[in-house]
Amino acid sequence: MNTICQKITFIFNLIILVSLPAFGISEPVELRCEMIENPVGIDVKNPGLSWKIISDKRSVYQISYHILVASSVEKLDNNIGDLWDSGDVKSDQSHLVQYNGAELKSRKDCYWKVKVITNKGESEWSETAYWSMGLLHYKDWYARWIGFDYAFPWDDDSFHSRLSARYLRKVFKADKPVKQAKVYLMGLGMYELYFNGNRIGNQVLAPAPTDYHENIKYNVFDVTSALNEGENAVGVILGNGRYHTMRQHYKPYKIKNFGFPKLLLQLEIEYADGSKQIIKTDNSWKGTANGPLITNNEYDGEEYDARKEMPGWNTVNFIDSSWIQVDYVDQPDGKYEAQMNPNMKVMETIKPVGITNLSGGKYILDMGQNMVGWLKIKVEGNAGEKVKLRFAEILNDKGGIATENLRDAMCTDIYTLKGNGIEEWAPRFVYHGFRYVEIAGFPGVPTVDNFIGEVVYDAIPQTGSFTTSNSLINKIYKNATWSIKGNYKGMPVDCPQRNERQPWLGDRSTGCYGESFVYDNSTLYAKWVDDIGYAQKSDGTIPDVAPAFWRYYSDNMTWPGTYLMVADMLYRQYGDTEPLKTHYASMKSWLDYMKDRYMTEDYILTKDSYGDWCVPPATIEEGRGKSANVKHPSKLISTAYYYYYSGLMQRFARIAGCDDDVEYYANLAEKIKAGFNQVFFREDQMGYGDNTLTDNLLALQFGLVPENKRDDVLNTIVTIIQVKNDGHLSTGLIGTQWLMRTLSENGRSDLAYRIATNKTYPGWGYMVENGATTIWELWNGNTAAANMNSYNHVMMLGDLIIWFYENLAGIKSDPEDPGFKNIIMKPELQDGLDHVNASYESPYGKIKSNWTRSKQKFTWNITVPANSGARIYVPAKSLNSIKEGKDKITENKDVKVVEFKDNRVLLEIGSGEYRFESKL
Ligand code: RAM
């Protein structure tokens, strides 16, 4: 960072003397507000504004920026920033610059643009970007909650809750030309919104789920073009989601239920003549629960009877005489908040790869991929014929679907035909995790062309790409991406198929960091940090599942501690300090809570719940038929994590401006370290605790091992892997989070590579060898008992994806200069790996690392985005053996040689494209 700053100051001085022509620097692009493109209806009063600079030049740094925010496009076009004119601000910050203008009130439209001066020239103004404010105060809502707070006679609201969807409508007049219309709504558990028969937005399963006792997300849409001058109809379908939860009258002490679906909607119209009108939910709306959507239950599936369709129900002329007046219903307890993470969408579609005929008129459809979403069907037949679709991840010995691992989740959709021509259908308010579908009752002979898999997950951009010369690694990576995206459901869930689908914290503590290379998960995880904060009790305890749809307050360090680790990830990967600042006090109160209750005088944290969850049974046979659902609580794990978090808290405290705490946590950490070594170190085995791989990994990685013993402990780790495990891992959810990086950081990336490329049990390659297209919950997923055996879980990814990007590709954010402002590029070459090609779309732009090696030669193409810089480590046998382009490295003006050490040359480079060649 220092060098960058020095460079900037130097160049800045130059620029004052010479005004630079504007060439080679694009106008700022990809403008984002709170990391979202043109968000409608936000509730952050001083949002963070970001942009990217594109240039074909090297070493481009921003010297200053100028932001204009205006209340109208016209003003902005005339360069009037009536809301904020930042003036020229000398700063290299181009990511999350905080809005600092006039106070932004509810409903405000904000148009903005930015231009920058760089060391290589000045840009033009960017294109206009936009954000608008939502309803910031409770008093802004004039609407009232409506719905039906009861089950209808055709509903069966027992354990397997079957509740029909509610259809709500209202006709209203907008009899003057409309200037702007925006709709603000909370449709719980899920909604679909229509104006005049047209669906608004392509979001599905919206809004993002929360603990509705704590907070509720509202969505906002600009519907100006959806309104007609004259009569209009607004229609909403409400599904159950997590609001009317999947299991009713069942373990109420554990499973939260919120009530019956309900709606709060406010349409605000501004006419061209300046007058305003508000259409709101009230008891003038009509509704029915007797529509075609008979039941929708996330675990059990959706049933739709097309014979009961009500054509035109969401248009003006529909005769709604059989509909009933809606009721005013109790408002949910939760606080209203704008949803700042994208809703889910149908993000991809896949064609089935095969269909086989079973006996009894049943067929098995194979999607070729374990996917999350639903099946869209195309069918032609007689009215009343029923197509029954049962979803599963695996097949049984007879070629039928195996559903034991779904437990009591029925995962069944039923479509009843209306019988006039080709009918197309997909469910609305449920999703399934499946590769296979059993089809029964299909009229005629179905072919693959009758079906399409619609893949549903949060509409967040894919940011990473990663391929290597090793096809097994490529397949593992691909499988990982399917599991990651499939389990993004407005919150990260553990699995998409069985009767669980809960946002378990422990599964993501390190996972979120690896996932961030593949998808821009910044807004999703910022929301999740809030979810976790809301789930905290006043005494400080944090649950294992948040939003706490299941009440699990079991008190341990590893699951709840995800609170800190996600905030840390958002800081490291996105340079976002808000989550850790906002939640700092709550994190501290949780740590205090755990310490006060469970820390002994010698600083051992005695309480744990899950231990190293799901360690692999010693052999694949040993785990055959056995349930993995066994806990092995470990004081070593909790104590090690308390120490680790004390380190994080020192950094957080500094950033949050709580300087006194820095020393407090440093002192506490010292004491824990002493206690930890006293109690857990065993000289006779040169290792810790039970001398498991995980016990020693945590000690070494967290810095708990005294300097003079580090080599010995590393040696113990290596011996466990090489001798005891024959080159395999033996870690569960906890140890796997640190495995690959610990080996790499301690000079044994060769061993990490071996583990990553094993095809035998246990390992990711073993899953692939056994037909996996996703990541399994269990290392022995093909032999374990079905009761806890998901084929689409991310927890065993550990730190593998981080290792792929940071250690194999060599793309890492410098923790000292986060959000990829400074990039550390240090690929680790492996025998047998000839090629790695990766890219990552960082907050500054695309980073690329593409290397090829032969026995003697290393070639590396790099891209560093403008306004960032990199420290790169080029493998080489000598300084003189490296060239960049045509130049010897020592004579190249664009690179700065820092040192040559351990067969690598460390260089500092600015942005741009580079091609290095070296002799090995
Ligand atoms: C399982 C979940 C989850 C895990 C917990 C402890 O049932 O699937 O992955 O975190 O248990």
Side-chain angles (χ1 to χ4, degrees):
M1 181 59 196
N2 250 344
T3 45
I4 295 176
C5 282
Q6 281 158 7
K7 255 185 211 165
I8 288 170
T9 330
F10 170 70
I11 296 160
F12 180 73
N13 291 338
L14 269 182
I15 283 175
I16 303 179
L17 298 174
V18 202
S19 114
L20 285 167
F23 60 86
I25 304 293
S26 77
E27 71 277 8
V29 295
E30 293 183 40
L31 273 62
R32 297 285 181 271
C33 171
E34 286 294 298
M35 295 195 253
I36 318 172
E37 189 178 353
N38 298 332
V40 185
I42 69 168
D43 62 1
V44 179
K45 289 187 174 169
N46 294 89
L49 304 177
S50 314
W51 56 89
K52 290 176 184 170
I53 300 166
I54 308 288
S55 173
D56 53 8
K57 299 194 175 312
R58 283 186 173 174
S59 301
V60 175
Y61 300 105
Q62 178 183 297
I63 286 161
S64 68
Y65 64 78
H66 188 165
I67 297 173
L68 291 180
V69 184
S71 56
S72 73
V73 181
E74 296 72 39
K75 285 196 178 114
L76 194 71
D77 287 348
N78 288 314
N79 291 341
I80 300 169
D82 60 330
L83 294 175
W84 188 35
D85 182 340
S86 74
D88 264 326
V89 180
K90 289 185 186 60
S91 163
D92 66 346
Q93 194 182 352
S94 58
H95 179 55
L96 294 175
V97 173
Q98 226 179 23
Y99 169 84
N100 194 17
E103 189 191 337
L104 298 174
K105 305 249 165 69
S106 293
R107 308 175 175 87
K108 191 87 199 156
D109 289 310
C110 306
Y111 302 88
W112 70 287
K113 61 183 179 181
V114 57
K115 69 175 180 180
V116 297
I117 296 177
T118 73
N119 58 332
K120 298 283 165 88
E122 185 176 340
S123 80
E124 300 290 337
W125 284 108
S126 69
E127 300 270 306
T128 299
Y130 169 82
W131 84 85
S132 65
M133 302 305 288
L135 300 180
L136 303 180
H137 310 285
Y138 193 70
K139 65 174 169 40
D140 292 323
W141 290 89
Y142 309 113
R144 287 181 63 183
W145 285 92
I146 59 167
F148 304 108
D149 263 351
Y150 50 87
F152 285 81
W154 48 83
D155 293 329
D156 172 8
D157 208 21
S158 51
F159 177 73
H160 283 274
S161 168
R162 293 173 57 85
L163 198 76
S164 53
R166 283 107 204 276
Y167 290 70
L168 308 172
R169 64 177 255 117
K170 180 183 168 72
V171 171
F172 61 94
K173 257 201 187 105
D175 45 12
K176 291 181 278 185
V178 173
K179 184 175 165 215
Q180 189 188 54
K182 274 189 218 157
V183 64
Y184 303 81
L185 85 160
M186 284 174 265
L188 304 179
M190 293 172 179
Y191 71 85
E192 264 189 18
L193 170 66
Y194 297 83
F195 276 92
N196 300 318
N198 297 315
R199 176 133 168 230
I200 303 302
N202 56 357
Q203 69 285 351
V204 298
L205 307 174
T210 51
D211 179 338
Y212 309 98
H213 292 322
E214 303 288 345
N215 63 324
I216 307 165
K217 300 292 183 187
Y218 62 84
N219 289 168
V220 186
F221 299 95
D222 187 318
V223 290
T224 315
S225 60
L227 297 192
N228 299 327
E229 198 178 323
E231 296 249 281
N232 287 274
V234 51
V236 174
I237 315 178
L238 292 179
N240 302 320
R242 301 286 172 114
Y243 196 79
H244 191 77
T245 196
M246 295 76 86
R247 297 289 175 258
Q248 295 288 312
H249 316 292
Y250 177 63
K251 295 191 181 171
Y253 55 90
K254 171 182 146 186
I255 298 179
K256 271 188 201 164
N257 193 16
F258 301 92
F260 292 91
K262 51 187 63 178
L263 174 69
L264 187 74
L265 178 148
Q266 190 158 306
L267 167 68
E268 303 200 356
I269 306 173
E270 197 189 330
Y271 291 106
D273 66 6
S275 61
K276 292 188 177 151
Q277 185 186 354
I278 294 185
I279 306 296
K280 50 190 192 275
T281 40
D282 58 23
N283 63 2
S284 69
W285 286 56
K286 291 183 93 177
T288 182
N290 197 9
L293 222 158
I294 294 169
T295 175
N296 62 100
N297 179 314
E298 189 181 319
Y299 292 161
D300 295 335
E302 189 159 306
E303 292 178 25
Y304 187 91
D305 187 342
R307 294 171 304 179
K308 300 185 73 177
E309 278 177 356
M310 306 167 288
W313 70 272
N314 43 20
T315 60
V316 173
N317 293 326
F318 179 74
I319 298 168
D320 59 12
S321 49
S322 65
W323 289 38
I324 53 176
Q325 188 186 353
V326 297
D327 297 332
Y328 285 126
V329 292
D330 286 345
Q331 70 174 53
D333 303 334
K335 192 171 137 205
Y336 306 164
E337 292 174 347
Q339 185 176 320
M340 301 293 290
N341 59 305
N343 274 312
M344 280 173 256
K345 286 186 180 158
V346 173
M347 297 294 284
E348 299 164 44
T349 55
I350 58 174
K351 282 189 86 163
V353 295
I355 188 162
T356 50
N357 196 344
L358 288 187
S359 60
K362 287 183 180 163
Y363 294 84
I364 299 292
L365 188 70
D366 180 1
M367 305 308 294
Q369 171 65 50
N370 195 359
M371 58 164 276
V372 185
W374 50 62
L375 194 66
K376 186 171 183 179
I377 63 168
K378 198 155 80 176
V379 58
E380 192 169 2
N382 300 318
E385 285 186 290
K386 281 183 197 303
V387 181
K388 187 170 173 185
L389 310 165
R390 292 175 66 212
F391 297 86
E393 293 183 297
I394 48 165
L395 296 179
N396 58 32
D397 302 343
K398 300 193 183 79
I401 53 169
T403 57
E404 292 79 8
N405 73 328
L406 308 176
R407 304 185 192 148
D408 65 28
M410 315 278 282
C411 307
T412 304
D413 290 346
I414 299 176
Y415 177 75
T416 307
L417 280 74
K418 58 187 165 195
N420 51 355
I422 293 174
E423 301 174 39
E424 277 192 305
W425 178 79
R428 282 188 166 80
F429 295 130
V430 302
Y431 63 88
H432 308 285
F434 65 103
R435 172 171 172 176
Y436 301 99
V437 192
E438 181 199 86
I439 299 156
F442 197 94
V445 178
T447 72
V448 288
D449 295 328
N450 291 99
F451 308 98
I452 190 123
E454 296 195 322
V455 185
V456 172
Y457 55 92
D458 294 36
I460 53 181
Q462 183 159 350
T463 43
S465 70
F466 177 82
T467 51
T468 72
S469 55
N470 183 308
S471 57
L472 177 62
I473 289 203
N474 297 347
K475 178 66 178 153
I476 293 170
Y477 177 78
K478 188 170 172 222
N479 288 1
T481 62
W482 275 97
S483 280
I484 293 166
K485 65 190 174 192
N487 283 301
Y488 282 164
K489 291 283 161 290
M491 57 185 174
V493 293
D494 62 336
C495 58
Q497 72 299 81
R498 68 179 176 223
N499 63 353
E500 190 152 357
R501 311 181 188 200
Q502 294 299 323
W504 282 94
L505 271 64
D507 301 32
R508 304 286 178 158
S509 27
T510 292
C512 65
Y513 176 6
E515 293 160 21
S516 75
F517 282 103
V518 191
Y519 296 100
D520 175 358
N521 59 17
S522 55
T523 54
L524 168 69
Y525 276 105
K527 178 224 172 224
W528 204 40
V529 173
D530 291 344
D531 289 340
I532 301 171
Y534 278 121
Q536 183 174 37
K537 297 281 177 206
S538 54
D539 59 6
T541 183
I542 290 177
D544 304 336
V545 172
F549 298 118
W550 288 3
R551 294 181 179 88
Y552 273 120
Y553 290 83
S554 78
D555 283 353
N556 63 86
M557 292 307 298
T558 42
W559 266 243
T562 301
Y563 193 24
L564 282 73
M565 290 177 72
V566 176
D568 186 44
M569 180 284 280
L570 293 168
Y571 169 72
R572 291 171 77 123
Q573 299 294 90
Y574 299 101
D576 188 3
T577 54
E578 279 314 303
L580 69 87
K581 283 186 197 155
T582 309
H583 292 272
Y584 178 80
S586 313
M587 292 169 178
K588 189 173 177 210
S589 83
W590 171 65
L591 284 168
D592 288 348
Y593 167 92
M594 291 302 290
K595 179 167 163 290
D596 293 350
R597 274 166 194 73
Y598 306 115
M599 198 176 268
T600 63
E601 276 175 6
D602 47 3
Y603 296 92
I604 300 303
L605 205 289
T606 54
K607 182 71 170 59
D608 183 35
S609 301
Y610 306 103
D612 192 14
W613 185 238
C614 299
V615 283
T619 64
I620 190 76
E621 277 312 313
E622 197 178 285
R624 185 173 288 280
K626 289 199 188 127
S627 173
N629 194 3
V630 192
K631 297 178 185 147
H632 301 284
S634 154
K635 293 176 192 172
L636 181 147
I637 290 179
S638 352
T639 309
Y641 268 83
Y642 208 109
Y643 179 80
Y644 177 66
Y645 300 145
S646 301
L648 286 188
M649 287 301 274
Q650 290 172 51
R651 169 139 44 89
F652 291 2
R654 231 173 265 127
I655 298 168
C658 302
D659 294 340
D660 291 352
D661 289 353
V662 180
E663 207 186 315
Y664 164 76
Y665 280 112
N667 285 336
L668 181 59
E670 271 318 298
K671 288 176 184 144
I672 298 172
K673 183 172 178 173
F676 183 88
N677 278 287
Q678 184 79 41
V679 173
F680 298 115
F681 185 68
R682 287 184 44 191
E683 193 83 39
D684 56 336
Q685 55 192 25
M686 269 301 163
Y688 286 82
D690 297 331
N691 211 24
T692 62
L693 184 49
T694 295
D695 288 348
N696 290 305
L697 282 172
L698 297 187
L700 192 64
Q701 177 66 20
F702 292 172
L704 281 155
V705 182
E707 211 45 50
N708 61 355
K709 296 207 171 86
R710 285 187 66 92
D711 288 348
D712 293 328
V713 174
L714 176 63
N715 193 32
T716 304
I717 289 174
V718 169
T719 311
I720 294 172
I721 295 172
Q722 278 181 331
V723 181
K724 199 165 163 218
N725 299 352
D726 190 24
H728 293 78
L729 51 74
S730 50
T731 46
L733 180 146
I734 298 297
T736 312
Q737 293 180 42
W738 310 100
L739 175 66
M740 307 299 278
R741 286 173 296 171
T742 308
L743 291 172
S744 266
E745 284 162 21
N746 290 283
R748 293 311 306 261
S749 66
D750 60 319
L751 216 48
Y753 185 66
R754 180 167 172 198
I755 289 172
T757 50
N758 277 331
K759 293 184 176 171
T760 43
Y761 174 83
W764 304 282
Y766 176 77
M767 300 178 190
V768 171
E769 284 296 294
N770 285 277
T773 58
T774 37
I775 304 296
W776 296 347
E777 177 175 25
L778 303 175
W779 295 119
N780 60 328
N782 59 333
T783 63
N787 69 329
M788 201 191 89
N789 197 352
S790 142
Y791 294 92
N792 199 354
H793 239 73
V794 294
M795 66 188 195
M796 285 315 175
L797 280 172
D799 63 355
L800 183 68
I801 306 292
I802 303 173
W803 187 77
F804 282 169
Y805 276 88
E806 292 189 348
N807 300 75
L808 287 190
I811 299 178
K812 178 177 174 164
S813 177
D814 180 352
E816 298 306 315
D817 207 354
F820 295 88
K821 181 80 174 113
N822 194 40
I823 309 155
I824 297 173
M825 306 189 78
K826 192 177 183 184
E828 285 159 14
L829 307 194
Q830 310 297 334
D831 286 343
L833 189 66
D834 303 330
H835 182 64
V836 175
N837 185 7
S839 71
Y840 172 66
E841 188 64 47
S842 78
Y844 298 90
K846 196 168 250 130
I847 302 166
K848 285 189 199 164
S849 169
N850 181 355
W851 62 257
T852 307
R853 70 160 307 184
S854 61
K855 245 198 159 97
Q856 274 135 24
K857 193 172 152 197
F858 179 74
T859 313
W860 195 11
N861 290 304
I862 290 180
T863 305
V864 175
N867 205 27
S868 70
R871 285 164 75 82
I872 70 165
Y873 296 77
V874 190
K877 111 177 156 205
S878 68
L879 191 57
N880 284 328
S881 79
I882 310 184
K883 281 201 310 204
E884 193 285 307
K886 292 192 194 77
D887 303 338
K888 276 197 162 178
I889 202 74
T890 39
E891 291 154 14
N892 190 311
K893 61 181 180 354
D894 290 320
V895 305
K896 183 178 156 211
V897 180
V898 180
E899 61 177 7
F900 178 71
K901 207 175 140 192
D902 302 333
N903 284 331
R904 283 171 180 278
V905 178
L906 169 57
L907 306 170
E908 277 178 2
I909 58 174
S911 64
E913 289 178 14
Y914 299 82
R915 180 185 171 83
F916 293 96
E917 269 180 28
S918 64
K919 294 209 177 90
L920 296 174

